[in-house]
């Protein structure tokens, strides 16, 4: 009986630790970008996906894989107030290009950077704020 009382706190600690390990990637890495900005625990860079995508406007892009928040909204244009045209449902998505002169997106790393991609659910093309991407987005070419 006394052994049970001694083991109960250990079991609770083990359960709490296991629960943290099961958090979704977005919750587990919510601070990855600010840490990278400070030079500690730098985020891995987006990488060449090895394939192309052609936008509805007829331009073909060499796309890059990046880790991102999921789900995250895809906006029709740069700016959090623009119409949402779809959602990125996965936390590893491709991005075609970036702009660095968009409206402030709330990021301390690249505050005016927005990246073009295609929504997973609607297949509409649009823009995602850099603050929703964990990877360093410098390798993604300018639009």
């Amino acid at each position: 009986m006394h052994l049970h009382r001694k083991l109960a706190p250990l079991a609770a600690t083990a359960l709490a630790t296991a629960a943290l390990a099961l958090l979704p990637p977005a919750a587990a890495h919510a601070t990855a970008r600010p840490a990278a900005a400070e030079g500690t625990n730098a985020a891995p860079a987006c990488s060449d996906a090895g394939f192309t995508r052609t936008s509805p406007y007829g331009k073909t892009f060499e796309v890059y894989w990046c880790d991102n928040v999921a789900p995250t909204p895809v906006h029709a244009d740069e700016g959090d107030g623009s119409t949402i045209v779809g959602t990125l449902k996965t936390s590893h998505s491709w991005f075609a290009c970036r702009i660095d002169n968009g409206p402030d997106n709330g990021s301390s790393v690249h505050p005016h950077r927005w990246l073009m991609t295609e929504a997973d659910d609607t297949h509409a093309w649009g823009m995602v704020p850099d603050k929703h991407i964990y990877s360093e987005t410098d390798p993604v070419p300018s639009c």
Side-chain angles (χ1 to χ4, degrees):
M1 186 77 139
H2 294 287
L3 180 61
H4 174 70
R5 287 185 187 154
K6 289 182 180 179
L7 292 178
L10 291 174
T13 302
L15 284 173
T17 302
L20 285 174
L22 295 175
L23 283 175
H29 298 94
T31 60
R33 286 307 294 268
E38 296 163 10
T40 60
N41 194 22
C46 298
S47 60
D48 188 338
F51 61 92
T52 61
R53 287 287 187 258
T54 302
S55 75
Y57 316 108
K59 184 169 181 183
T60 300
F61 297 92
E62 294 280 338
V63 299
Y64 283 73
W65 286 117
C66 303
D67 293 324
N68 55 275
V69 174
T72 198
V74 177
H75 298 265
D77 297 300
E78 308 86 50
D80 285 327
S82 72
T83 303
I84 295 173
V85 297
T87 304
L88 292 180
K89 293 185 173 189
T90 62
S91 61
H92 190 69
S93 305
W94 60 261
F95 294 89
C97 64
R98 64 180 166 86
I99 64 154
D100 288 314
N101 59 351
D104 192 313
N105 64 32
S107 168
S108 62
V109 181
H110 302 294
H112 298 282
R113 182 172 288 178
W114 291 75
L115 291 97
M116 185 185 295
T117 191
E118 181 181 11
D120 293 328
D121 54 355
T122 62
H123 302 288
W125 281 61
M127 305 300 284
V128 171
D130 188 75
K131 71 180 178 182
H132 289 271
I133 302 172
Y134 300 126
S135 303
E136 173 51 60
T137 56
D138 281 346
V140 178
S142 294
C143 294

